Each structure stands twice: as C-alpha cells, then as structure tokens.
Amino acid sequence: MEEPAALRPAACRAKGGAPGFKVAVVGAAGGIGQSLSLLMKMNPLVSVLHLYDVVNTPGVTADVSHMDTSAVPLGVTSDGGFLFLTAPHAAYLNCDRLGVRGFIGQQQLEAALTGMDLVIIPAGLPRKPGMTRDDLFNKNAGIVRSICEGVAKSCPNAIVNLISNPVNSTVPIAAEVFKRAGTYCPKRLLGVTTLDVARANTFVAEVLGVDPREVNVPVVGGHAGVTILPLLSQVSPPCSFTPDEISYLTNRIQNGGTEVVEAFAAAKFADACLRGMRGDAGIVECSYVASEVTELPFFASKVRLGRGGAEEILPLGPLNDFERAGLEKAKKELSESIQKGVSFMNNWT
Ligand SMILES: NC(=O)C1=CN([C@@H]2O[C@H](COP(=O)(O)OP(=O)(O)OC[C@H]3O[C@@H](n4cnc5c(N)ncnc54)[C@H](O)[C@@H]3O)[C@@H](O)[C@H]2O)C=CC1
Ligand SMILES: O=C([O-])CC(=O)C(=O)O
C-alpha cells in the first residue's frame, strides 16, 4: 500500500514521487571526499549535492559539476555558496533538482547543511604510516563535534554517515552532540564500516578463486584493528577455510587500512542508505550503530536500512570458537574507544 505523502521523506514528495535526495559531503576536498563526491554525483538517487570543506571546495565543485552533462556556473548565491547546474536547459528547471553547490569555511557550514536528507562526513586527518586510527582522536574529535553541531542545528532529521576516524569513538561523540541538542535518533547515525566488508569480500574471493561480487562476508564489531571481526564461518556462499587461511584472512582484513583506503565503499554505503530512504525492501549492510547486540552501546553488525535509517539491527548469528575469542578482544578495545568519545564530550562545556 502507498504510504501517505506526509510520511514520505521531503525529497521524494518535492519531486512528485521521483527519487531525489539532497546529500552533503563534508570534507569534500579531501582524498576520500573528492572521489566520494564524484561517485555521489553519478548516483541517480541524488538530486542536490552540497560539497563542503574548509579549503579548496570551489575547484572540486567545478570539477564535479562538469561531469558529463554541461555544467553552467551561475556564480555566488545569496547564502554564499556557489551554484552550478548540470543540464543543458537547467535554467528552465528546478535548480534544486540539478544543482551541485560548493561551500567553504565554517561560516558556510549552515548553508551547506540546511535541508539535507543525508550528510556524509569524511572530514578530518587521515593516518600516516605507523599511526593507529586512535592516534587521530585528538585532531578529529573536535572536527566531528563541530560538524555534528552544525547537523543538529541545520538538518536535525538528516541521516548521517560518519567516515572520519577513529569511527569507534567519533560515532559516540556524534551521539553525545545530538543528545545535547535534543535531536538524537540512534537510527539516523551510522558509522561507515563498509570498507571492511569490501576488503573481506575481495580477500575471501581471492582465496576461493571466485568473483568478489558473489561473496558476502559479515564484518562486525568496530572499525579498527582487532575490533574488525570478520565472521568467516558465515560467508555466503557457504565455504570453509583451513586454520592458516582463517589466520591470514582475519589479519589482512583487520589491517587492510594500512594498505590502501578507498571512497568506493563509502559511496556504496551511501547508496544503500538512499535506497532504504526511498523505501526499497531488504537493504542490509554492516554498520557501526547504537546497538543492543552486545552489552556495548555501539557495535557494528548487519543492519536493515529503511526510510528512517537503521530500522533493524540483525543478530550476530552463531559464532565459532575462534570468532567468540575475537569478539571478546574486540569488545575490550571497543569499550575503551566508546568511553574515550563519551568522556571527550563530558569534558566539553
Ligand atoms: N571509515 C572508513 O572506512 C574510512 C575512514 N577514513 C577517514 O576519513 C578521514 C578523511 O580521510 P582523507 O580523505 O584521506 O583525508 P584528507 O586529509 O585527504 O581529507 C580530509 C579533508 O577534511 C577536511 N577538513 C578538515 N577539517 C574540516 C572541517 N572542520 N570541516 C570540513 N572539512 C574539514 C580537510 O580540509 C580535507 O580536505 C580520515 O579521518 C580517515 O581516517 C578514510 C578512509 C576510510
Ligand atoms: O585505515 C585508515 O586509516 C582509513 C580507514 O579507516 C580504512 O581504510 O579502513
């Protein structure tokens, strides 16, 4: 049965049923942000793309808005953003439907976020060789806090995909910011762990000698070192591994971030969120969310994505002895990372 119009996301209503969501990328000029912006521009579910950063957004915005269909820079808008339209006859069409807009600097954060349905955050420092994700805490905690304050103020109902590391701590920080602002909805705050699943699928496919697109490995826990727990006993299609293979795969998946980082997984996760927001059924991805799957307040596991975000958190399923031992190690580190994020906010006045 068709849902009453009042219950549908505003972006869908505004387009008379045609899919079209307003998406902001915060940290759009960075390594992840630039590729992610390009990939989001290619997503047919996105009607408006706002690109925000503290530096370099004009160039990135021009670049992305030139994709394929002819882009017409229209100059600076009343709230300071710069507007590009991406269709030959854009002037005759609803600007909101086709615009890619760039925003730069703290004073434009509010304009960048206002009206957004989905906010994707890859803002903040990346690791250098030899660093752990937790080593980024001191720099990135404050960045995530101030961006989330902006979200609470300008688009409190948006779904947030948080990419900035350490995800295990930045998601609890975001939750505390939203609680303080009175806008917290656990379903709408999702830590991006899709890269762990992408790596797991790729590495398992290599061992099995099959196409990675045919493989699905649930990866639970968190997004750093031992908190990344691939459930190799639950691989689809069903298969088995030798103890050496399990040890090699677990290690490689847990440490994949030291090899390479990629925006593809973040775009894949955002697309899954948008399809859920549109109302597609059966969208299940792993994500780090507020959870009761373990005694910890946040945990990554399979979640069912729907109109409101993480609509259902799926159980872990049966674990073998190796995975149960891994889970205990993961929970210990995760608990400390969560507490670190919460304490950071408790000490913030
Ligand atoms: N969850 C995941 O799977 C992944 C997480 N990451 C994390 O994403 C973050 C970004 O990584 P990269 O793009 O490689 O770094 P980068 O240094 O290339 O880009 C970061 C961008 O954030 C911007 N930025 C800094 N402060 C900001 C603020 N207050 N507001 C808006 N933008 C701000 C910078 O100007 C820069 O353009 C890092 O923390 C990294 O660890 C990266 C890859 C995967
Ligand atoms: O490892 C890093 O620093 C970035 C990241 O989170 C990943 O690639 O999984």
Side-chain angles (χ1 to χ4, degrees), residues 126-127 133 136 163 165 195-196 199 223 256-258 260-262:
R127 288 199 274 173
R133 291 180 182 85
L136 301 169
I163 296 172
N165 273 315
L195 192 42
D196 302 317
R199 286 181 178 130
H223 182 64
T258 59
V260 71
V261 296
E262 53 162 324

Side-chain angles (χ1 to χ4, degrees), residues 12 25-26 39 45 57 71 90 137 142 144 154 165 183 186 210 215 217 247 250 285 295 308 310 318 320 336 340:
C12 288
V25 178
V26 178
L39 290 165
L45 292 179
T57 18
F137 185 96
V144 168
S154 305
N165 273 315
T183 65
V210 299
V215 176
V217 186
S247 162
T250 304
E285 293 286 338
E295 64 277 23
N320 62 25
E336 289 163 9
K340 191 167 172 179

Side-chain angles (χ1 to χ4, degrees), residues 159 273 276-280 283 304-311:
I159 289 175
C273 286
M277 289 159 72
R278 178 172 65 176
D280 291 12
I283 311 287
R304 187 175 57 75
L305 299 167
R307 290 190 195 280
E311 299 282 7

